[in-house]
Amino acid sequence: MKKALMYFALGTVLSFLINYFFYSSKNISLDIYYALSFGIAWGIAYYLDTPDFTLPQKLGISFAVMGVLVLIGTGLFSLEQAIPSILKFSTVFVAYYLIASFRANKSLRR
């Protein structure tokens, strides 16, 4: 769990710094929201990267988190601004498991 929180924190900070300095949307709260979705994706992907979770459970949890991100994003901003957060989340989530699939044990934890 500690490493999952570390992935979350590092993903959030790095994403925020990249968005803020290179893409600057002129909306700091939106940059923070996108960075959080990126960090959450890394943290959740790492946390679920264990044999304790079946593939349907991993997919179900990821879809539930995406739903929560859309609800929060729609409440704080608008639906049009909330959609990129789930695109970032799903891209990171898929990338994590794609990278893991190249390893013999199909996990990035070991």
Side-chain angles (χ1 to χ4, degrees), residues 35-100:
L36 283 171
S37 69
F38 191 85
I40 289 168
W42 278 112
I44 293 288
Y46 184 83
Y47 179 73
L48 295 177
D49 188 15
T50 176
D52 298 339
F53 294 101
T54 64
L55 183 60
Q57 288 174 323
K58 291 175 184 179
L59 291 173
I61 292 169
S62 71
F63 283 127
V65 172
M66 284 191 283
V68 169
L69 283 171
V70 169
L71 288 174
I72 292 170
T74 304
L76 295 175
F77 307 106
S78 67
L79 183 60
E80 292 82 18
Q81 292 176 320
I83 297 299
S85 71
I86 61 168
L87 295 175
K88 289 176 187 285
F89 181 92
S90 60
T91 301
V92 169
F93 202 80
V94 169
Y96 182 93
Y97 284 102
L98 179 66
I99 294 166

